[in-house]
Amino acid sequence: MKKSLILAAIALLPLSTPPIYAANPVDELLAKYRLQGADAFSAEAGKILWHQGFTQTGKIRKCTTCHTNDLHKTGKHARTGKAIKPMAPSVNPERLTKLKKIRKWLKRNCKWTLGRECTPQEKGNILIYLQSQ
Amino acid sequence: MINRSLVETASDTSRHKIRIWDLPTRLFHWLLVIAFIVAMLSQGDDRYLDVHVVSGYLFFGLLGFRFIWGIIGTHYVRFSHFAFDWKAVWHYLKMLPTKQRQHFLGHNPAGSWAIFIILGLGLIVSLTGLLTLGGEERHGPFAGMISFALGSSIHEWHEVTAWLLLGLISIHIVGVLVESWLHHENLIKAMITGLKSVPVSVFAQPLSVQRHGFTATILILVIIVIGTWVYSKPFIGPKLPDNVVWREACGECHLAYHPTLLPARSWQRMLAEQHEHFEEDLDLDDETLLEIQTFLMANAAESELTEPAWKINNSTPPEQTPLRITKTAYWIEQHQNIADEIWQHPDVNFQGNCGACHLDAEQGTFEDAAMRLPSSSVPF
């Protein structure tokens, strides 16, 4: 009886210890991008990329096409008009809190805007820039 | 049945002022007129279906009252009082152009037949309306008890009988005008005041009925109570199946279009082409994809969970696999009369923005009466 209790306690032990990545999902991703060869990240470079135009199917696309020039404001989907909640974590604390979401949208929206996936360096720069807002 | 029918003779200046129509009967008559006019004006346009149905309920309820009042009501409004056989009708019509024409205090034989037919047809119109409502719209007492297909064919009978009813009403009005003219008495006014001024020479001791104000008050109260109850239950559709993964994945860039809005083959194709989803790469992982696919397949248009589901499924030829709801025949037919100004309204943005007008787009029910002009509360 005692033995099984001890065993159960041991089995449950890993659940009580914090995971190795206790940091927030942005830090986790930045660490990963560094492993993939990215240099020091720059919010300034992220900002430039955020406002840069890319020509796709004859039209200029930018991050701001949907998210507007003000990250603190509600954006609008270019095609459907659906409201997009503000990107700045200072006004929308939900932003940059879910790793899966960050990865999904960085991938999808880089493809739509730039016509290709972003490099680890670009992704890191964007994340740092958004985080600072 | 004294004084029921008397032949008009020499003119006499002295007249009786008597009440023929009690107050409940007059209220019944004019409310029925209003209910019928409102129902006719609101028919044929899904946007006013709520108005149509409420007026239909009023119409039906009034008929119910009339059938009871026809048995227990006052002298002239009892069915037994104006149950003439066809010979009486024939005789009445034959004598009408002559000086020996008959003069009745209540309904004349021809008029009474029109009234019986109007009441009977009205009952058929009401019942076919309720069955249509239950079959096509999944509302009312027969909700879900009748298939869409049966509801649809009953709908045709509802329309045919309603137009027949309109025809009968026209005959009734012509009859009233002709008789008013021939007998020099305003029958329309009599139906408002309840009173008739009849010559003593023709009707020596005509029967005057009670006003029945109490019954009229009860009638009004019942209409108000039932009307409020009907109105407080607006057109909320059935609760449709939902799925968290689907709603999140499909609802981030646009309205999460309910699976009922396209056939299963369309959803299948859409997921197969997920990397070129209207210029976007959905890039859904296998787990999400499977979950969404299962949900879409189970509740696609073939499920016939709603009226649009049934109609979209039926109007899409099997060789077509539309990726846009706006390309289905049913959608096109339903939206063909919408003015360009509405499509260009800033709140509309594009045709797939169902929620701009359909209040229940998120729920996916697309009830006929749940439509409003963008940035305005008035129905358009």
Side-chain angles (χ1 to χ4, degrees), chain B residues 287-307:
Chain B
E287 198 189 334
T288 313
L289 198 64
L290 183 68
E291 171 101 34
I292 294 174
Q293 184 172 20
T294 311
F295 177 67
L296 292 176
M297 290 306 112
N299 303 294
E302 289 89 340
S303 69
E304 299 191 354
L305 285 169
T306 61
E307 186 188 13

Side-chain angles (χ1 to χ4, degrees), chain B residues 52-358:
Chain B
H52 184 75
V53 168
V54 169
S55 58
Y57 274 127
L58 176 62
F59 187 84
F60 187 42
L62 287 167
L63 286 182
F65 161 78
R66 188 64 184 89
F67 283 107
I68 297 168
W69 205 233
I71 296 159
I72 64 163
T74 54
H75 183 71
Y76 300 102
V77 304
R78 286 199 190 189
F79 295 142
S80 57
H81 177 75
F82 57 93
F84 298 97
D85 59 19
W86 67 270
K87 280 182 199 152
V89 177
W90 179 240
H91 181 69
Y92 171 79
L93 290 174
K94 209 166 58 182
M95 302 307 278
L96 203 56
T98 69
K99 281 275 178 220
Q100 285 78 45
R101 69 179 73 97
Q102 296 166 288
H103 193 173
F104 291 82
L105 287 176
H107 295 302
N108 69 58
S112 73
W113 274 53
I115 283 152
F116 280 121
I117 297 171
I118 286 171
L119 292 177
L121 263 181
L123 206 58
I124 295 170
V125 171
S126 302
L127 289 174
T128 51
L130 284 172
L131 291 168
T132 306
L133 185 68
E136 282 195 339
E137 312 292 336
R138 311 268 129 155
H139 282 294
F142 301 111
M145 287 159 69
I146 297 144
S147 71
F148 282 108
L150 184 60
S152 179
S153 47
I154 293 173
H155 192 169
E156 284 171 34
W157 282 101
H158 180 59
E159 287 184 13
V160 169
T161 49
W163 288 111
L164 272 175
L165 181 57
L166 183 67
L168 253 297
I169 290 168
S170 312
I171 293 171
H172 168 66
I173 294 169
V174 169
V176 166
L177 294 177
V178 166
E179 224 200 29
S180 293
W181 176 63
L182 287 175
H183 293 303
H184 309 290
E185 65 176 350
N186 189 340
L187 290 180
I188 298 167
K189 195 177 152 203
M191 191 46 87
I192 295 168
T193 62
L195 305 173
K196 276 191 182 179
S197 179
V198 294
V200 174
S201 57
V202 184
F203 303 98
Q205 286 179 303
L207 182 81
S208 186
V209 300
Q210 295 284 304
R211 191 161 170 267
H212 279 279
F214 180 72
T215 312
T217 314
I218 300 279
L219 177 66
I220 292 287
L221 283 176
V222 168
I223 289 170
I224 290 171
V225 169
I226 295 178
T228 313
W229 180 70
V230 168
Y231 202 74
S232 68
K233 293 177 66 176
F235 282 72
I236 297 167
K239 186 141 175 42
L240 297 179
D242 215 305
N243 180 288
V244 184
V245 176
W246 159 76
R247 198 167 273 283
E248 171 159 0
C250 302
E252 279 180 309
C253 292
H254 53 66
L255 170 75
Y257 301 108
H258 200 269
T260 49
L261 299 171
L262 280 176
R265 59 184 181 279
S266 292
W267 295 120
Q268 200 92 43
R269 181 179 159 201
M270 198 164 319
L271 292 180
E273 296 174 6
Q274 64 142 329
H275 295 292
E276 285 116 38
H277 184 79
F278 303 99
E279 290 184 35
E280 283 206 48
D281 181 357
L282 298 185
D283 208 26
L284 299 168
D285 59 65
D286 290 346
E287 198 189 334
T288 313
L289 198 64
L290 183 68
E291 171 101 34
I292 294 174
Q293 184 172 20
T294 311
F295 177 67
L296 292 176
M297 290 306 112
N299 303 294
E302 289 89 340
S303 69
E304 299 191 354
L305 285 169
T306 61
E307 186 188 13
W310 180 65
K311 290 193 169 164
I312 286 169
N313 190 39
N314 275 288
S315 66
T316 310
E319 67 274 12
Q320 272 180 27
T321 309
L323 287 179
R324 288 173 190 270
I325 298 156
T326 54
K327 290 276 181 274
T328 62
Y330 177 65
W331 189 97
I332 294 165
E333 186 209 315
Q334 289 298 100
H335 297 82
Q336 61 188 352
N337 293 328
I338 292 173
D340 285 344
E341 299 96 85
I342 291 168
W343 291 122
Q344 279 144 23
H345 192 283
D347 289 354
V348 177
N349 204 56
F350 84 126
Q351 291 191 322
N353 187 12
C354 315
C357 302
H358 292 273

Side-chain angles (χ1 to χ4, degrees), chain A residues 94-131:
Chain A
E94 291 235 329
R95 284 290 177 222
L96 309 181
T97 57
K98 287 197 186 93
L99 189 121
K100 219 179 150 183
K101 272 203 156 187
I102 302 171
R103 273 161 60 173
K104 172 185 167 181
W105 289 109
L106 271 177
K107 185 174 177 186
R108 234 171 103 167
N109 290 347
C110 278
K111 275 189 172 177
W112 185 82
T113 316
L114 284 73
R116 59 168 172 83
E117 282 191 46
C118 292
T119 64
Q121 183 69 51
E122 287 168 330
K123 287 194 257 191
N125 291 344
I126 294 258
L127 282 182
I128 290 268
Y129 167 60
L130 291 178
Q131 205 176 30

